[in-house]
Amino acid sequence: MAAAAALALASPLRRLLRAPHPRGAIPAPYYVITRGRCGAAVAVAAAAARDSAVKGNVDRNAAEEVRNILDMAERASKRRDVFHTNFLTPPIIKEAMLAIDKLADIKAVAQGGYPQAERCRISVGHADSMTSNPDVVAALSISGNFRLEPCSHGDFLGAILGTGITREKVGDILLQGERGAQVLVDPELVDYLISTLEKVGKVGVSCSQIPLLALEYEPPRTKSFKTVELSLRVDALASAGFKISRTKLASLISAGDVRVNWTPVLKSGVNLRSGDVVSVSGMGRIKVTKKTKNAIIFSYKL
């Protein structure tokens, strides 16, 4: 039955995965920007915002993503319509929302399904067209008996991607221990996942849609600490922040388990700056909040 359902949905799924900006709408915005200026200035503002994004503190891929979002915003303004991105990482969300703020007559909403969501979708449209918050995020409960076979974030994500869905269609994954996990996804993929997702790791699972208000999440907990290092390299600061050796951190970097601003780090010699977030799979994150000429770093452990 699952195979038949998957076959029936194969063509719609392929079309959906090719479509960059499906339509839809959400409750509670993560960020909201509304600007109103002369509509004739949209193209000029968009060009300036694109240049600003490229020169900003984002890598080449992120800058390209921001440019695409700005192009979408410009089209939305001209057509007096509303368009939606896929799920985006926090750095791209931040840069895109700052850039959209320079556009005329545009309203933008970024939403990930709950207040602390990291991965969000941005909806952009002419201020007169987007009169309500778009509904573009759905929540799924993936249930199973994980008491003897505990599964990680990567296990759940791998199982979802194994059905043929791309990463950009999946938002945050909230682990629930022995019970399973709650996952934020593109609403148009809900029926497909319910019919095709049967296992996570070795555990048989059932999948059902739940309201966003049923999501179970904890507010982020932070702990401040200070370290004095002679180097601002990621291996020096992260080994101090996570209290592991540089050798161990180097092996984690080689395995692709270390990210700076949600982008995998490939070399130990990458230098960090104030505001950078370093995450290590299974260990959490640290955020560099201040640095001085004496290389005294104040950070929050998240």
Side-chain angles (χ1 to χ4, degrees), residues 26 87 111-114 117-119 121 136-142 160 167-174 181-187 189-190 193 210-212 215 217:
I26 30 187
F87 284 97
Q111 172 66 32
Y114 65 105
E118 289 186 355
R119 298 178 64 86
R121 299 181 70 184
V136 291
V137 180
L140 287 176
S141 174
I142 302 176
I160 294 170
R167 182 66 179 96
E168 292 75 18
K169 301 296 181 182
V170 184
D172 287 3
I173 297 175
L174 305 174
Q182 295 174 334
V183 184
L184 285 307
V185 298
D186 184 321
L189 293 174
V190 166
L193 281 171
I210 59 174
L212 295 178
L215 290 171
Y217 58 92

Side-chain angles (χ1 to χ4, degrees), residues 136-159:
V136 291
V137 180
L140 287 176
S141 174
I142 302 176
S143 303
N145 185 0
F146 293 90
R147 184 171 61 87
L148 298 179
E149 293 282 348
C151 286
S152 66
H153 180 282
D155 293 326
F156 281 94
L157 179 59

Side-chain angles (χ1 to χ4, degrees), residues 227 229-242 244 246 249 268 270 272:
T227 180
E229 301 293 333
L230 297 178
S231 172
L232 298 179
R233 288 166 43 125
V234 63
D235 57 348
L237 297 184
S239 62
F242 292 104
I244 58 177
R246 287 200 188 187
L249 191 72
S268 300
V270 173
L272 299 179

Side-chain angles (χ1 to χ4, degrees), residues 46-82:
R50 282 192 290 267
D51 291 341
S52 175
V54 174
K55 295 175 183 177
N57 295 324
V58 291
D59 61 32
R60 183 176 300 177
N61 292 334
E64 182 64 28
E65 188 86 41
V66 172
R67 279 196 295 266
N68 292 337
I69 295 169
L70 292 173
D71 289 339
M72 185 200 314
E74 188 175 354
R75 293 197 306 272
S77 179
K78 289 179 178 178
R79 299 179 187 180
R80 289 182 174 269
D81 206 343
V82 180

